[in-house]
Amino acid sequence: MIKAKILLLEDDIALNETLSEYLQDNGYEVISVFDGQDAQERLYEEQFDLLLFDVNVPEPNGFELLHVSRKNSIKTPAIFMTTRSSMQDLEQGYRSGGDDYIRKPFELKELLLRIESMLKRNYFHSNDDIIELNSRATYNITNAHLSIDGVLVNLSDKESRLLKLFVQRRGELLTHEVITSHLWDYEQISSDDALRTYIKKLRKLLGKDSIVSHKRLGYQFR
């Protein structure tokens, strides 16, 4: 099953390793970078569920990086980590597009709780781990598990990515471009035939009317 994917930007090597190991031990996939340039490249090459940015890093710093990313329509929720404590810095963090702000030093457990809360909020501001998709199917937003009649369903990586996207943006008409950008990483070649296969699999599991096809536009999850 696919895990929530976090982009970690922290230039302190020891802290970066500590955070990466801790988050991986708690079930997250972590891509760690040490400067703003590397983080920027990753942002435009891959899809992430959450951004965890230190502020004082080699250029661009965390604030600048997120500000530019938001202008380029990257809406991934972001948490800033910083030793800065003034109200002016706090205001700059939120104005640049940050969703949360944690001051160093912090307890690892506190960071984990903030991450879990942020990811839940990204699913319709839900406070529950389990979302009902229909009378038979439930979706666990913490570990991306689909269950039918209480039985865990085995999904491929791409099927799981697609379902997660549909659940997060339930009711929205998602274009083919949006869907393929979430399913295939930058270096991978997308496939319309493969996408239709994944859609067919999810419809079989959730009902043929669960995913509506809009000709030449995209798909909508109901």
Side-chain angles (χ1 to χ4, degrees), residues 129-141 144-153 163 167 206:
D129 288 331
I130 307 297
I131 294 175
E132 279 194 14
L133 302 184
N134 57 39
S135 60
R136 298 180 57 213
T138 58
Y139 185 78
N140 188 313
I141 65 177
H145 286 176
L146 172 67
S147 296
I148 306 291
D149 295 329
V151 178
L152 187 65
V153 177
L163 179 58
V167 172
L206 301 173

Side-chain angles (χ1 to χ4, degrees), residues 47-113:
Q47 295 292 328
F48 295 93
D49 297 293
L50 186 133
L51 310 176
L52 188 57
F53 286 175
D54 183 20
V55 175
N56 295 323
V57 296
E59 294 185 355
N61 69 35
F63 289 158
E64 294 166 347
L65 173 60
L66 188 62
H67 180 67
V68 172
S69 300
R70 293 293 189 239
K71 283 188 173 182
N72 286 292
S73 301
I74 291 178
K75 299 178 181 179
T76 309
I79 299 175
F80 283 120
M81 309 175 293
T82 181
T83 55
R84 299 185 183 186
S85 58
S86 72
M87 183 54 65
Q88 183 178 359
D89 291 322
L90 181 63
E91 182 179 9
Q92 184 180 358
Y94 285 114
R95 286 187 180 277
S96 67
D99 299 283
D100 200 359
Y101 195 98
I102 186 169
R103 292 185 176 90
K104 297 178 179 179
F106 51 79
E107 295 288 339
L108 293 176
K109 182 64 174 180
E110 179 186 356
L111 177 62
L112 182 64
L113 291 172

Side-chain angles (χ1 to χ4, degrees), residues 2 6 18 34 36 48-49 53 61-62 92 98 105 107 109 119 130 143 161 181 185 193 203:
I2 190 171
I6 297 174
T18 297
F34 300 90
F48 295 93
D49 297 293
F53 286 175
N61 69 35
Q92 184 180 358
E107 295 288 339
K109 182 64 174 180
L119 291 172
I130 307 297
N143 54 28
R161 289 191 188 202
S181 71
D185 292 330
D193 288 339
R203 281 175 171 159

Side-chain angles (χ1 to χ4, degrees), residues 96-219:
S96 67
D99 299 283
D100 200 359
Y101 195 98
I102 186 169
R103 292 185 176 90
K104 297 178 179 179
F106 51 79
E107 295 288 339
L108 293 176
K109 182 64 174 180
E110 179 186 356
L111 177 62
L112 182 64
L113 291 172
R114 287 175 183 257
I115 289 172
E116 290 174 348
S117 175
M118 187 66 63
L119 291 172
K120 288 179 183 180
R121 197 184 311 166
N122 205 32
Y123 291 83
F124 328 114
H125 296 267
S126 173
N127 291 319
D128 299 319
D129 288 331
I130 307 297
I131 294 175
E132 279 194 14
L133 302 184
N134 57 39
S135 60
R136 298 180 57 213
T138 58
Y139 185 78
N140 188 313
I141 65 177
T142 300
N143 54 28
H145 286 176
L146 172 67
S147 296
I148 306 291
D149 295 329
V151 178
L152 187 65
V153 177
N154 185 33
L155 297 176
S156 70
D157 175 74
K158 293 290 192 297
E159 291 166 351
S160 188
R161 289 191 188 202
L162 180 58
L163 179 58
K164 175 186 282 190
L165 176 63
F166 276 145
V167 172
Q168 285 179 317
R169 301 176 65 171
R170 196 172 185 172
E172 291 184 40
L173 172 56
L174 302 178
T175 65
H176 291 92
E177 290 77 15
V178 167
I179 293 173
T180 55
S181 71
H182 278 75
L183 265 60
W184 284 272
D185 292 330
Y186 181 76
E187 71 280 2
Q188 296 178 323
I189 300 174
S190 62
S191 166
D192 290 339
D193 288 339
L195 175 57
R196 284 191 285 270
T197 299
Y198 306 145
I199 294 288
K200 183 178 180 180
K201 170 73 173 289
L202 293 182
R203 281 175 171 159
K204 184 177 180 180
L205 291 168
L206 301 173
K208 64 179 182 179
D209 296 327
S210 60
I211 302 171
V212 179
S213 176
H214 294 265
K215 194 172 182 179
R216 293 190 296 272
L217 294 175
Y219 296 92

